[in-house]
Amino acid sequence: MKTPFLFKNVSTFFCVLILSVIAITFVRCTPPPPETPVDNSYRKKLITHKEAQVLFDEYTKTNNRVLAASRNGQPDSRWYSFTIEEMEGYIKYVKESAKKQNLKNVGIKIYMGKYPVDHPVNKMAKPEYAGYQTIFLMPTAKKERSSNANMKSRGTESTDDNEKIESIQPMNMTNLAPPPKAIVERIN
């Protein structure tokens, strides 16, 4: 009687089966590649809550008083917020768009702005923000200059080496706090 092929090489069959299971398990258990580490240069720019209160108080005593006077005693907005997810999403959008355009040294400027009283409602986070100041985020990249242009423009050049990236959209629609009629004394 002839033995079937499968049973002639049972040990080979089991070895292949076991190696296949190990290989599949190994491939599935391999951790994903590590994420690019985040630059920690921000740590040099951290301030204490007490230092933040000093900045807030100085703004209250100076700029905010001027704004309130020009608004017939009504204070203007004092804080603006985006969620972490909104910020992460916007940063990812700027990075990916800049990478596609081969832009280097990309950053984000924070500009002050003000909603006109008749600003379109769908262009603000809430309709009651009309007439209040806001901020918007503007993507920037390092200006590229030739060495000849640098020599000609010395002394007349702006102190900022970054310029806005027109091909990447700015971000607004922030939440802001139009304050109550009383002046806000503390950071909330």
Side-chain angles (χ1 to χ4, degrees):
M1 178 164 139
K2 213 170 181 191
T3 311
F5 175 76
L6 183 60
F7 294 110
K8 282 185 184 175
N9 296 317
V10 170
S11 61
T12 306
F13 173 75
F14 281 117
C15 285
V16 169
L17 180 66
I18 291 172
L19 287 174
S20 298
V21 169
I22 291 172
I24 290 170
T25 304
F26 178 73
V27 169
R28 286 188 171 194
C29 293
T30 304
E35 289 185 25
T36 306
V38 175
D39 182 349
N40 67 359
S41 62
Y42 73 92
R43 292 178 188 234
K44 294 182 278 184
K45 298 178 180 186
L46 296 176
I47 62 173
T48 65
H49 287 274
K50 187 175 181 178
E51 291 167 321
Q53 187 66 50
V54 168
L55 300 177
F56 185 85
D57 292 344
E58 186 63 22
Y59 181 86
T60 300
K61 290 188 289 189
T62 58
N63 299 37
N64 194 58
R65 290 228 169 107
V66 172
L67 287 170
S70 72
R71 293 172 55 86
N72 298 320
Q74 296 297 315
D76 208 336
S77 52
R78 293 302 310 271
W79 58 256
Y80 315 90
S81 67
F82 295 103
T83 65
I84 293 293
E85 291 77 16
E86 290 169 328
M87 294 295 290
E88 288 174 337
Y90 185 66
I91 290 168
K92 183 178 179 183
Y93 160 71
V94 170
K95 282 181 167 183
E96 288 174 356
S97 299
K99 186 176 182 178
K100 287 177 188 173
Q101 298 174 44
N102 202 26
L103 298 172
K104 305 290 183 216
N105 300 314
V106 176
I108 296 175
K109 284 184 184 177
I110 301 172
Y111 280 93
M112 298 294 297
K114 181 181 177 186
Y115 294 121
V117 175
D118 59 351
H119 199 66
V121 173
N122 66 338
K123 296 291 183 179
M124 298 180 288
K126 295 181 183 174
E128 61 264 27
Y129 293 169
Y132 283 94
Q133 67 183 7
T134 184
I135 61 167
F136 58 95
L137 308 180
M138 178 68 69
T140 63
K142 196 74 131 174
K143 291 179 186 175
E144 296 207 12
R145 300 192 194 310
S146 67
S147 59
N148 191 21
N150 280 340
M151 297 302 277
K152 289 180 183 177
S153 66
R154 276 188 198 209
T156 61
E157 177 176 328
S158 162
T159 57
D160 189 2
D161 287 338
N162 295 320
E163 59 188 355
K164 67 182 175 182
I165 305 171
E166 300 260 350
S167 58
I168 303 176
Q169 292 181 283
M171 185 168 96
N172 180 241
M173 304 287 270
T174 177
N175 284 310
L176 55 92
K181 293 183 182 195
I183 292 181
V184 178
E185 297 288 332
R186 304 287 303 164
I187 299 173
N188 335 9

